[in-house]
Amino acid sequence: RELAAFSAAHASSFTSYLPGGECDHRWQPLHAEYREIFEKHVQRFLARESMKEQEFLALTRRYSKNVCGEEAEEWGNFVRQLTMCEDFSHFLEFMKSQEAPGLSSGPSPPEPSSSTSGQHQHLDVSDEMAAFFRCLQHNTARQALADFVLTHALEFVVRSKEHRHEWYLLYQEFGRLFEQSASAALEEAGLSLESLASFMVQTLPYLERSYEIQDFLDVCVPAEDYLSFVDLMKGAGAAALEGSAEVQGSMQERAELEAGEQQQLPGSISTHAQAQAQTHAGEQLAANAHEQEMPPAESQEEVGQRSAEFLAELSALERTQVVRLAFRDFLDAPDAEPAMVCFHQLLGLWPGGLPHTSPGSLFFSELNAAVRPELDRRLSGILDCVERRLTEKGVAAPHGRYCAGPLAGVHCVVCGAGPVGLRAAIELRALGAEVSVFEKRRQFSRLNRLKLWEWVKFDLIGWGARQLMPKFGASAGHLHIGIRQLQLLLWKICLLLGVNVQVGVELFEAPDSVLVVRGADSDHPVTVVPCDLLLEAGGPNSLAWPSAGLSFDVTGTAQATGLVANFERRPGLGEELKEFSWARQFNRELFARLQSELHADLENIVYLRGEEAHYFVMTPRHQGLVAAGILAAVGSPLSSASKEALQVHARAIASFFGLPEACGFAAPTQLFDFSKRRSCRVAMQTLGPGGSGSGGPLLVAVVGDALLEPFWPEGLGITRGFLGALDSAWELSSLRAADFEAARSGQSTGALEAACRAREKACKLLKQIGAANQNQYLLADDRAYGLDPRTRYKHHLLA
Ligand SMILES: Cc1cc2nc3c(=O)[nH]c(=O)nc-3n(C[C@H](O)[C@H](O)[C@H](O)COP(=O)(O)OP(=O)(O)OC[C@H]3O[C@@H](n4cnc5c(N)ncnc54)[C@H](O)[C@@H]3O)c2cc1C
């Protein structure tokens, strides 16, 4: 509080942020004063806790690795204050920002003056510019923008609707209204877009200091940035909720209205588009009617020509709308099957197939060429990301770049659409292979949340994660993602690349040495799958081709059990519960209470709030499970656990931390044994000359949990899984279709065997990487990680 009071008291001394120059001589003593206050408080804290400075530093290092959720925000504040003490430029930046008001909270404008006192000032601007700002504040489109915010704000106070399709549609509508408002203001002021842009660039340093520019930014920023738009609407929604009685009436009205609207929802995207096109036609006709009043009259031919042009324009518009809606439906699809359906609906808009761009071009290039012209900038963001990835440099010979398609003509089959199988499928497809992914589950339903390492975050952002999940990786602290969200995200990228994906089908080795798939329904026919390369990505204990004879080592001895419980997220319930991560050694008192009150004998416990569920994961000791009536005795197999007692126990723990009883279970509570972990002795293996029969795989590569079961509390599952997927793809990219043909015909398996030998080097490294020793193995620049192992592992280890 003392620091906050200090910044408030001295913020105005930093006014020479405006023209007039910097005043280091005045600010440096203030910086010293600030540091003194901060240090005084740290010393007081250490004295109170009887802690030495060294111990404190060690604790902060440990803490910063484990902190998450809202605690991470507080931690971020502390670190910021610390940095400001150490670094004058940070201090300066902060003090200046303290003085600049928030985007939407400026006081009402005073009479124009050139004074620099106070928080805002009026800038000397040209007449056109002044007219532009004036028009922008008062034109009718601007009024429409304000009405729009008022009308829709309440839809943004329901958190469970986060990033719903409807929000995105509203965002686009907001963008359109803004464009109308700005173009009307530009026209009225006689100002060109270029002059406005150059004015904005010149006045960049003062952007938040002028009322007029502030007003412009208040609408321009949310129109250009989805997250700002959501913030704006949430703010307006919260403000609206405060005016309770009236608002409740309007919510009621909206609910009734929505119910009515839902009944009238158009059945298909084309009817939707037709409706929009009809509206457009109506507007055009009204405009035409208006024009008819005006002389001079047009000739019959001119009218005919104009009608033909209008109809052509209308059908182009309709097609654009249809493509946009289909594409948006695909991006918003909530599960694997709907994503496939929407994607095929999109492709169905080209009944004769996508137009070919160039001979042998990748499916994605064709899709991109056909779809992109119909999309606006926001929708085409995902295509930009994928395109950038497919054309990036840095993958050197002999492996070739993605666009060189080294694996063209090679049939790769991936067993399992877990995160690692999908990540590998993306890479193989990008290298030009024909890739099929078969997943035996029908739905992506795993709610567990995964902690991701920083490099995985950058990897996914590179492929377009933020376009598919706008808030991906935006919060402070560690990044967590629901496993089903991660699968869905990768699944959609697979579809865009032209991977053949199927759910509800199991892959296995048939007796006559062919690879087959069979649907979940018993009467589903068994189909043979052509396969050169089989990627075993089915998780632990799940190999599709057992006769490869892969053998495993088993590591780990101490008893380690995981308990995972997911509870429903319901609007307004349990939202105040803060995310936490506690280990016994850091909070003995809490763990003692858990034990005495609930028999919960835990090593650690983590609570995270996912998009769809409240997620609790903990490591219970067997004594506690016995005391809670879940296991008969210490060491009893987890499969013998009482399911009822387990649910009761999980509920009691969640209630202990304040989760309301009304949040029911979102999935059955589960126990996992991670005391023993399997690792496959080889990562890639040939199946000998002549392959495994006429159609079976010639090469088997193992990735993900199937290769190496992780110690998942360290977040190793995905990080090692993705590293392994990239390593495998890299070695495979040295092969060509001819190498597989030579192996199939019994001529030679030399090339395949060489790739297998090369693969083992990185695999050995992979098996040693853990959370604590990562710096020993991995390069620091994790934004630069790519397919080539030299971009990820320390070079001397690869030599
Ligand atoms: C409770 C818990 C918490 C975890 N927390 C973390 C964490 O915080 N961070 C982290 O990085 N990791 C964590 N993990 C580990 C992580 O979930 C795994 O490492 C990761 O899911 C492995 O991905 P995968 O693709 O290799 O296999 P899986 O995710 O197991 O996917 C395999 C897929 O293959 C399918 N399949 C299997 N056989 C066949 C077949 N014959 N035909 C068709 N389909 C088949 C399965 O249905 C499944 O969908 C956690 C695991 C658990 C259990």
Side-chain angles (χ1 to χ4, degrees), residues 445-459:
S445 53
R446 287 186 280 173
L447 295 171
N448 297 342
R449 293 189 73 69
L450 305 175
K451 177 161 103 183
L452 301 184
W453 286 20
E454 200 71 352
W455 84 266
V456 174
K457 173 171 115 180
F458 295 130
D459 180 61

PDB file of all heavy atoms in Angstrom, residues 445-459:
ATOM      1  N   SER A 445     -12.949 -36.462 -25.060  1.00  0.00           N
ATOM      2  CA  SER A 445     -13.694 -36.158 -23.835  1.00  0.00           C
ATOM      3  C   SER A 445     -12.800 -36.062 -22.605  1.00  0.00           C
ATOM      4  O   SER A 445     -13.294 -35.904 -21.508  1.00  0.00           O
ATOM      5  CB  SER A 445     -14.749 -37.236 -23.622  1.00  0.00           C
ATOM      6  OG  SER A 445     -14.112 -38.504 -23.658  1.00  0.00           O
ATOM      7  N   ARG A 446     -11.489 -36.132 -22.779  1.00  0.00           N
ATOM      8  CA  ARG A 446     -10.626 -36.111 -21.592  1.00  0.00           C
ATOM      9  C   ARG A 446     -10.500 -34.682 -21.061  1.00  0.00           C
ATOM     10  O   ARG A 446     -10.032 -33.788 -21.766  1.00  0.00           O
ATOM     11  CB  ARG A 446      -9.252 -36.685 -21.929  1.00  0.00           C
ATOM     12  CG  ARG A 446      -9.306 -38.213 -22.099  1.00  0.00           C
ATOM     13  CD  ARG A 446      -7.942 -38.793 -22.289  1.00  0.00           C
ATOM     14  NE  ARG A 446      -7.471 -38.645 -23.650  1.00  0.00           N
ATOM     15  CZ  ARG A 446      -6.240 -38.966 -24.040  1.00  0.00           C
ATOM     16  NH1 ARG A 446      -5.377 -39.443 -23.169  1.00  0.00           N
ATOM     17  NH2 ARG A 446      -5.880 -38.821 -25.296  1.00  0.00           N
ATOM     18  N   LEU A 447     -10.957 -34.493 -19.807  1.00  0.00           N
ATOM     19  CA  LEU A 447     -11.007 -33.139 -19.242  1.00  0.00           C
ATOM     20  C   LEU A 447      -9.715 -32.753 -18.516  1.00  0.00           C
ATOM     21  O   LEU A 447      -9.521 -31.583 -18.181  1.00  0.00           O
ATOM     22  CB  LEU A 447     -12.169 -33.041 -18.245  1.00  0.00           C
ATOM     23  CG  LEU A 447     -13.563 -33.190 -18.841  1.00  0.00           C
ATOM     24  CD1 LEU A 447     -14.616 -33.294 -17.752  1.00  0.00           C
ATOM     25  CD2 LEU A 447     -13.889 -32.004 -19.754  1.00  0.00           C
ATOM     26  N   ASN A 448      -8.864 -33.739 -18.244  1.00  0.00           N
ATOM     27  CA  ASN A 448      -7.659 -33.442 -17.457  1.00  0.00           C
ATOM     28  C   ASN A 448      -6.867 -32.304 -18.088  1.00  0.00           C
ATOM     29  O   ASN A 448      -6.817 -32.171 -19.298  1.00  0.00           O
ATOM     30  CB  ASN A 448      -6.762 -34.683 -17.369  1.00  0.00           C
ATOM     31  CG  ASN A 448      -7.475 -35.801 -16.653  1.00  0.00           C
ATOM     32  OD1 ASN A 448      -8.462 -35.563 -15.961  1.00  0.00           O
ATOM     33  ND2 ASN A 448      -7.008 -37.023 -16.838  1.00  0.00           N
ATOM     34  N   ARG A 449      -6.256 -31.519 -17.200  1.00  0.00           N
ATOM     35  CA  ARG A 449      -5.516 -30.363 -17.716  1.00  0.00           C
ATOM     36  C   ARG A 449      -4.017 -30.655 -17.706  1.00  0.00           C
ATOM     37  O   ARG A 449      -3.501 -31.231 -16.748  1.00  0.00           O
ATOM     38  CB  ARG A 449      -5.832 -29.123 -16.879  1.00  0.00           C
ATOM     39  CG  ARG A 449      -7.276 -28.716 -17.072  1.00  0.00           C
ATOM     40  CD  ARG A 449      -7.581 -27.393 -16.464  1.00  0.00           C
ATOM     41  NE  ARG A 449      -7.033 -26.257 -17.187  1.00  0.00           N
ATOM     42  CZ  ARG A 449      -7.452 -25.849 -18.384  1.00  0.00           C
ATOM     43  NH1 ARG A 449      -8.401 -26.497 -19.011  1.00  0.00           N
ATOM     44  NH2 ARG A 449      -6.929 -24.783 -18.933  1.00  0.00           N
ATOM     45  N   LEU A 450      -3.384 -30.258 -18.774  1.00  0.00           N
ATOM     46  CA  LEU A 450      -1.965 -30.550 -18.929  1.00  0.00           C
ATOM     47  C   LEU A 450      -1.141 -29.289 -18.752  1.00  0.00           C
ATOM     48  O   LEU A 450      -1.480 -28.239 -19.302  1.00  0.00           O
ATOM     49  CB  LEU A 450      -1.684 -31.101 -20.335  1.00  0.00           C
ATOM     50  CG  LEU A 450      -2.503 -32.318 -20.767  1.00  0.00           C
ATOM     51  CD1 LEU A 450      -2.193 -32.667 -22.203  1.00  0.00           C
ATOM     52  CD2 LEU A 450      -2.204 -33.487 -19.854  1.00  0.00           C
ATOM     53  N   LYS A 451      -0.074 -29.446 -17.994  1.00  0.00           N
ATOM     54  CA  LYS A 451       0.866 -28.315 -17.882  1.00  0.00           C
ATOM     55  C   LYS A 451       1.799 -28.378 -19.081  1.00  0.00           C
ATOM     56  O   LYS A 451       2.377 -29.436 -19.356  1.00  0.00           O
ATOM     57  CB  LYS A 451       1.664 -28.460 -16.580  1.00  0.00           C
ATOM     58  CG  LYS A 451       2.703 -27.408 -16.372  1.00  0.00           C
ATOM     59  CD  LYS A 451       3.096 -27.348 -14.919  1.00  0.00           C
ATOM     60  CE  LYS A 451       4.435 -28.040 -14.701  1.00  0.00           C
ATOM     61  NZ  LYS A 451       4.811 -28.059 -13.289  1.00  0.00           N
ATOM     62  N   LEU A 452       1.922 -27.296 -19.805  1.00  0.00           N
ATOM     63  CA  LEU A 452       2.783 -27.306 -20.997  1.00  0.00           C
ATOM     64  C   LEU A 452       4.040 -26.483 -20.737  1.00  0.00           C
ATOM     65  O   LEU A 452       3.987 -25.444 -20.090  1.00  0.00           O
ATOM     66  CB  LEU A 452       2.049 -26.706 -22.201  1.00  0.00           C
ATOM     67  CG  LEU A 452       0.749 -27.375 -22.646  1.00  0.00           C
ATOM     68  CD1 LEU A 452       0.225 -26.716 -23.905  1.00  0.00           C
ATOM     69  CD2 LEU A 452       0.940 -28.868 -22.878  1.00  0.00           C
ATOM     70  N   TRP A 453       5.128 -26.941 -21.304  1.00  0.00           N
ATOM     71  CA  TRP A 453       6.363 -26.163 -21.205  1.00  0.00           C
ATOM     72  C   TRP A 453       6.282 -25.020 -22.220  1.00  0.00           C
ATOM     73  O   TRP A 453       5.552 -25.100 -23.210  1.00  0.00           O
ATOM     74  CB  TRP A 453       7.569 -27.040 -21.516  1.00  0.00           C
ATOM     75  CG  TRP A 453       7.927 -27.996 -20.422  1.00  0.00           C
ATOM     76  CD1 TRP A 453       7.109 -28.421 -19.409  1.00  0.00           C
ATOM     77  CD2 TRP A 453       9.176 -28.663 -20.238  1.00  0.00           C
ATOM     78  NE1 TRP A 453       7.776 -29.306 -18.620  1.00  0.00           N
ATOM     79  CE2 TRP A 453       9.051 -29.480 -19.094  1.00  0.00           C
ATOM     80  CE3 TRP A 453      10.387 -28.659 -20.903  1.00  0.00           C
ATOM     81  CZ2 TRP A 453      10.097 -30.274 -18.619  1.00  0.00           C
ATOM     82  CZ3 TRP A 453      11.420 -29.456 -20.440  1.00  0.00           C
ATOM     83  CH2 TRP A 453      11.285 -30.246 -19.306  1.00  0.00           C
ATOM     84  N   GLU A 454       7.141 -24.017 -21.920  1.00  0.00           N
ATOM     85  CA  GLU A 454       7.130 -22.799 -22.733  1.00  0.00           C
ATOM     86  C   GLU A 454       7.322 -23.087 -24.227  1.00  0.00           C
ATOM     87  O   GLU A 454       6.651 -22.532 -25.079  1.00  0.00           O
ATOM     88  CB  GLU A 454       8.244 -21.884 -22.220  1.00  0.00           C
ATOM     89  CG  GLU A 454       8.113 -20.437 -22.590  1.00  0.00           C
ATOM     90  CD  GLU A 454       6.996 -19.705 -21.862  1.00  0.00           C
ATOM     91  OE1 GLU A 454       6.183 -20.337 -21.148  1.00  0.00           O
ATOM     92  OE2 GLU A 454       6.924 -18.479 -22.051  1.00  0.00           O
ATOM     93  N   TRP A 455       8.218 -23.992 -24.568  1.00  0.00           N
ATOM     94  CA  TRP A 455       8.504 -24.199 -26.000  1.00  0.00           C
ATOM     95  C   TRP A 455       7.300 -24.819 -26.710  1.00  0.00           C
ATOM     96  O   TRP A 455       7.045 -24.544 -27.886  1.00  0.00           O
ATOM     97  CB  TRP A 455       9.779 -25.032 -26.217  1.00  0.00           C
ATOM     98  CG  TRP A 455       9.600 -26.515 -26.142  1.00  0.00           C
ATOM     99  CD1 TRP A 455       9.771 -27.287 -25.046  1.00  0.00           C
ATOM    100  CD2 TRP A 455       9.217 -27.394 -27.199  1.00  0.00           C
ATOM    101  NE1 TRP A 455       9.504 -28.599 -25.351  1.00  0.00           N
ATOM    102  CE2 TRP A 455       9.161 -28.695 -26.669  1.00  0.00           C
ATOM    103  CE3 TRP A 455       8.896 -27.217 -28.537  1.00  0.00           C
ATOM    104  CZ2 TRP A 455       8.814 -29.795 -27.418  1.00  0.00           C
ATOM    105  CZ3 TRP A 455       8.546 -28.321 -29.295  1.00  0.00           C
ATOM    106  CH2 TRP A 455       8.506 -29.589 -28.742  1.00  0.00           C
ATOM    107  N   VAL A 456       6.548 -25.633 -25.968  1.00  0.00           N
ATOM    108  CA  VAL A 456       5.351 -26.258 -26.568  1.00  0.00           C
ATOM    109  C   VAL A 456       4.340 -25.151 -26.888  1.00  0.00           C
ATOM    110  O   VAL A 456       3.671 -25.178 -27.929  1.00  0.00           O
ATOM    111  CB  VAL A 456       4.745 -27.306 -25.602  1.00  0.00           C
ATOM    112  CG1 VAL A 456       3.446 -27.846 -26.153  1.00  0.00           C
ATOM    113  CG2 VAL A 456       5.740 -28.429 -25.368  1.00  0.00           C
ATOM    114  N   LYS A 457       4.262 -24.171 -25.978  1.00  0.00           N
ATOM    115  CA  LYS A 457       3.359 -23.041 -26.221  1.00  0.00           C
ATOM    116  C   LYS A 457       3.733 -22.345 -27.539  1.00  0.00           C
ATOM    117  O   LYS A 457       2.880 -22.125 -28.394  1.00  0.00           O
ATOM    118  CB  LYS A 457       3.463 -22.055 -25.050  1.00  0.00           C
ATOM    119  CG  LYS A 457       2.714 -20.768 -25.256  1.00  0.00           C
ATOM    120  CD  LYS A 457       2.700 -19.968 -23.991  1.00  0.00           C
ATOM    121  CE  LYS A 457       3.478 -18.682 -24.170  1.00  0.00           C
ATOM    122  NZ  LYS A 457       3.498 -17.876 -22.956  1.00  0.00           N
ATOM    123  N   PHE A 458       5.017 -22.040 -27.712  1.00  0.00           N
ATOM    124  CA  PHE A 458       5.425 -21.342 -28.946  1.00  0.00           C
ATOM    125  C   PHE A 458       5.187 -22.216 -30.178  1.00  0.00           C
ATOM    126  O   PHE A 458       4.817 -21.731 -31.236  1.00  0.00           O
ATOM    127  CB  PHE A 458       6.892 -20.917 -28.875  1.00  0.00           C
ATOM    128  CG  PHE A 458       7.150 -19.905 -27.807  1.00  0.00           C
ATOM    129  CD1 PHE A 458       8.178 -20.072 -26.895  1.00  0.00           C
ATOM    130  CD2 PHE A 458       6.342 -18.790 -27.682  1.00  0.00           C
ATOM    131  CE1 PHE A 458       8.406 -19.138 -25.892  1.00  0.00           C
ATOM    132  CE2 PHE A 458       6.553 -17.859 -26.686  1.00  0.00           C
ATOM    133  CZ  PHE A 458       7.584 -18.037 -25.789  1.00  0.00           C
ATOM    134  N   ASP A 459       5.436 -23.507 -30.002  1.00  0.00           N
ATOM    135  CA  ASP A 459       5.232 -24.429 -31.119  1.00  0.00           C
ATOM    136  C   ASP A 459       3.767 -24.377 -31.574  1.00  0.00           C
ATOM    137  O   ASP A 459       3.474 -24.241 -32.772  1.00  0.00           O
ATOM    138  CB  ASP A 459       5.597 -25.843 -30.643  1.00  0.00           C
ATOM    139  CG  ASP A 459       5.420 -26.878 -31.739  1.00  0.00           C
ATOM    140  OD1 ASP A 459       6.087 -26.749 -32.762  1.00  0.00           O
ATOM    141  OD2 ASP A 459       4.591 -27.793 -31.573  1.00  0.00           O
TER     142      ASP A 459
END
